[in-house]
Amino acid sequence: MPKASEIKKNSAVEYEGRAYFVKDIERSVPQGRAGGSLYRMRLYDVVTGSKLDETFKDSDMLTLADLVRRPATFSYSDGDEFVFMDSEDFTQYSLNREAIAEELLFISEDTQGLMVILVSDAPVALGLPPTVDLDIVETDPSVKGGSATARTKPAKLSTGLVVQVPEHISTGDRIKVNVEERRFLGRA
């Protein structure tokens, strides 16, 4: 059983008899307290999707939920349902748009390295690779003689995500994006 300070974002924990998915963690150190840090976690119920904000001391013990990660590929979308197919046994997993809204900004039809996260055999979330390759659909024209200096411009990608890119990058280019930092890494 890990301490609250060892829990990472996107972990699944059991709390008060239910399985929750940790979507966000804020660490704070109260002034003048002899104790340790406090960890405010935004938890989402695996079954109902309801939100719970809870604060734990760094020494509080939490139980990790039984979490399975399955390699998958994006198959198709049907309204607000997005269907992913298991890369090994071809099982189809359906996830609601609301549950994976953030992740959808990084997914195109050919995104590799996706993981469907299952808790008690039910799909609850999507794990992304550290980097993804996406196409630029709209950006200012590239500047002739524009170097790879620190000057950047916004670029809208095929998924709707907007990232800052160097001036020499143009519409139609395929770029590599860091998922965690939402940052341009280079041409793909």
Side-chain angles (χ1 to χ4, degrees), residues 12-185:
V13 294
E14 285 181 20
Y15 180 67
E16 295 180 344
R18 301 185 67 89
Y20 289 94
F21 205 62
V22 180
K23 282 284 191 182
D24 199 26
I25 301 173
E26 271 182 45
R27 178 177 177 258
S28 63
V29 183
Q31 292 292 324
R33 266 196 46 191
S37 303
L38 294 177
Y39 292 85
R40 182 174 177 78
M41 297 185 191
R42 175 154 289 169
L43 308 171
Y44 284 87
D45 189 301
V46 166
V47 180
T48 65
S50 61
K51 181 174 70 171
L52 174 69
D53 286 333
E54 201 63 49
T55 303
F56 301 97
K57 294 181 189 132
D58 59 359
S59 59
D60 288 349
M61 301 300 270
L62 294 169
T63 307
L64 289 176
D66 187 22
L67 188 76
V68 177
R69 293 177 186 270
R70 299 289 302 171
T73 54
F74 173 64
S75 195
Y76 64 92
S77 64
D78 182 17
D80 278 349
E81 293 294 312
F82 286 78
V83 179
F84 297 86
M85 187 168 54
D86 192 304
S87 301
E88 294 168 0
D89 66 9
F90 307 112
T91 305
Q92 292 193 347
Y93 303 109
S94 185
L95 288 160
N96 189 298
R97 175 188 298 276
E98 203 173 286
I100 58 169
E102 284 291 307
E103 291 84 352
L104 287 175
L105 293 172
F106 299 98
I107 298 172
S108 64
E109 308 235 332
D110 56 352
T111 302
Q112 298 295 312
L114 296 175
M115 294 282 191
V116 171
I117 299 169
L118 307 169
V119 175
S120 306
D121 291 330
V124 294
L126 201 55
L128 296 171
T131 63
V132 292
D133 296 349
L134 296 170
D135 295 315
I136 295 177
V137 292
E138 185 183 322
T139 187
D140 294 335
S142 60
V143 178
K144 268 287 189 235
S147 63
T149 60
R151 291 202 322 225
T152 62
K153 60 185 180 181
K156 185 174 182 182
L157 305 178
S158 55
T159 59
L161 179 68
V162 175
V163 294
Q164 292 292 320
V165 298
E167 288 182 329
H168 68 279
I169 301 291
S170 57
T171 301
D173 285 354
R174 192 164 176 79
I175 62 169
K176 195 174 282 297
V177 177
N178 178 313
V179 171
E180 190 73 29
E181 299 172 4
R182 295 178 173 220
R183 193 170 57 85
F184 168 83
L185 288 177

